[in-house]
Amino acid sequence: MGEVDGASSEPLVLAREVSKNYGAIRALDRASLAVGPGCTALLGENGAGKSTLLKLLLGLIAPDAGEMRVLGRDPAREGAAVRVRVGYFPEHDCLPVDWQAQDFVRHMGEVRGLPAKVAVQRASDVLAEVGLAEERYRPIGGFSTGMKQRVKLAQALVHDPRLVFLDEPTNGLDPLARDQMLELIRRVVREMGINILVSSHLLSDVQQVADAVIVLDRGRVTAQGSLRALLAETDSLTLQLIAPAPAFVAGLRAAGARFLDAVTNDATELMLALDDERLFDTVRDLAAETGAGIVLLRRGARSLEDVFLSETAVGAAR
C-alpha cells in the first residue's frame, strides 16, 4: 500500500465550489465533490469538464474560484507534492516510442522518488501485473493500442500510490482489450488496494468498475453517490398521457412528487422517483380530479443510463 496522507476520515479528494474558465468558456462551474475509497467514476460526455477537473486536482492548472484537497494537500499550492503521491494515466497517447517499456516505467518510478534499484524492480513487477512481463524489453512504438494503455497504467502504479487518476483508459480499445483493461482496474482496487478516480463517458464501463459515481454535465456536478445508492434511489414510475395535462403535472408537483426528467407543459410522458408507495394513490386521485388520461403506468428500477440522461436533462433545463 502507498503512503497514507492526511486524516483517515478525510475524503481522498475534496472540491468545494470550484470554477475554471478558458476565456469565455466555463469548463467547471462551482463544482463540489468528494471521492472516497475504492473506485469512483467521473462520468460525463466529452466536453463536460472531466479532463479539466483532473488537471486541477493534479495542480497542472489553477482554479479561478473554489478550493480543493487531494490526500489532504492543496494541489494549487502543492502540485509537485500531490503529483509525487498520486498516479496519473493521461487520455492521449504520449509515450516515448523509442523507449523500452521497462526503461520508461523505471524512469517514471525514479521521477516519483524511488531509488534506482527499487525502481527497476517495481517496473518489472507492475509490468507483469498488467500482463506485459514478456514484452517489457520491447520498444513501445511497436506495441498495439491495448499494450500502450497497459504501459500507461503500469507507470501510474509503479510508485505504489494511494490514489490513481485514470483519464478515459479504454479509449481506442477493441472489445477484448477493453474488457481486459476494465478487469485490470478492478484488480488494482481489490488486490493491490489502490484507490482510483476514473474519468469516462462510457456508461457500461462505469457500471462494471465503479463503487461510486460523480456525474458531470456542462461543468456542473449534477449527481454523486455510491453506484448502488444512485440506482436504488431511482426506482421509478413512468406515466404516459393521452394529451398534455398541465393541471395534473402541477398537482404532482404540489404533492411533492420528484420528477426524474425535465418536464414541460406539453409533456405526455413523465418519469417520477418512486420514493413512497403512496405515489400510486396520488397519481390515481389526481388523474381523476384533473381528467388526465393515463395510457401507461409502469414501475421499474432505472439503469445508470437513465440516471445519467435524467441528470443531464435537468442540468440543461436550468
Side-chain angles (χ1 to χ4, degrees):
M1 280 289 294
E3 176 186 347
V4 176
D5 295 89
S8 59
S9 59
E10 184 177 342
L12 301 169
V13 172
L14 185 64
R16 295 191 184 97
E17 296 289 311
V18 173
S19 294
K20 179 63 181 177
N21 301 320
Y22 297 109
I25 299 173
R26 173 152 287 196
L28 282 179
D29 187 3
R30 294 166 291 171
S32 296
L33 56 93
V35 175
C39 180
T40 298
L42 187 61
L43 177 63
E45 297 177 342
N46 292 327
K50 304 187 302 296
S51 292
T52 293
L53 179 58
L54 292 184
K55 290 175 183 176
L56 286 165
L57 295 175
L58 288 164
L60 299 175
I61 56 177
D64 296 316
E67 61 178 339
M68 299 172 294
R69 291 289 183 273
V70 177
L71 302 180
R73 289 172 163 80
D74 179 357
R77 298 182 179 182
E78 305 173 88
V82 168
R83 291 190 292 274
V84 165
R85 288 167 173 79
V86 303
Y88 175 52
F89 178 119
E91 177 182 5
H92 301 293
D93 187 359
C94 52
L95 299 173
V97 296
D98 55 343
W99 282 46
Q100 295 178 357
Q102 169 75 22
D103 289 341
F104 174 66
V105 176
R106 169 198 51 78
H107 171 73
M108 294 304 295
E110 292 180 3
V111 168
R112 269 78 169 254
L114 295 181
K117 289 184 179 179
V118 175
V120 170
Q121 185 59 54
R122 282 292 301 161
S124 295
D125 291 345
V126 294
L127 284 167
E129 287 281 356
V130 301
L132 293 177
E134 296 182 4
E135 295 87 356
R136 67 184 187 275
Y137 294 116
R138 286 176 48 189
I140 296 171
F143 284 4
S144 67
T145 300
M147 293 167 68
K148 289 178 180 178
Q149 295 293 79
R150 289 168 182 250
V151 173
K152 287 199 284 185
L153 181 59
Q155 64 79 31
L157 301 173
V158 66
H159 56 307
D160 195 21
R162 187 180 174 203
L163 174 65
V164 173
F165 298 144
L166 306 180
D167 197 355
E168 300 284 1
T170 60
N171 259 7
L173 300 183
D174 61 43
L176 176 60
R178 180 179 161 199
D179 287 343
Q180 291 171 341
M181 177 58 68
L182 294 174
E183 177 57 31
L184 281 172
I185 292 171
R186 286 191 289 265
R187 284 180 49 209
V188 168
V189 175
R190 296 170 186 171
E191 297 177 18
M192 300 177 69
I194 295 175
N195 304 292
I196 284 178
L197 176 61
V198 54
S199 166
S200 180
H201 67 282
L202 299 173
L203 295 161
S204 58
D205 286 7
V206 168
Q207 198 146 358
Q208 287 188 58
V209 301
D211 303 303
V213 176
I214 299 167
V215 179
L216 196 61
D217 179 47
R218 300 172 182 87
R220 292 187 175 185
V221 175
T222 57
Q224 62 181 310
S226 75
L227 182 60
R228 179 177 297 178
L230 282 175
L231 297 180
E233 289 173 0
T234 53
D235 195 26
S236 65
L237 189 65
T238 299
L239 298 91
Q240 190 173 342
L241 309 177
I242 295 173
F248 175 66
V249 172
L252 288 172
R253 285 200 173 98
R258 184 160 60 94
F259 290 85
L260 294 174
D261 51 5
V263 178
T264 61
N265 286 334
D266 60 352
T268 58
E269 186 165 317
L270 312 172
M271 184 178 285
L272 307 174
L274 191 54
D275 299 322
D276 191 323
E277 292 295 335
R278 289 173 295 180
L279 183 59
F280 285 97
D281 294 333
T282 301
V283 168
R284 179 198 61 203
D285 294 344
L286 279 171
E289 292 172 12
T290 62
I294 299 176
V295 294
L296 174 68
L297 183 64
R298 183 181 67 234
R299 175 178 181 167
R302 294 197 302 164
S303 67
L304 183 57
E305 181 177 11
D306 294 325
V307 175
F308 178 71
L309 291 176
S310 67
E311 294 298 340
T312 52
V314 170
R318 286 173 182 167

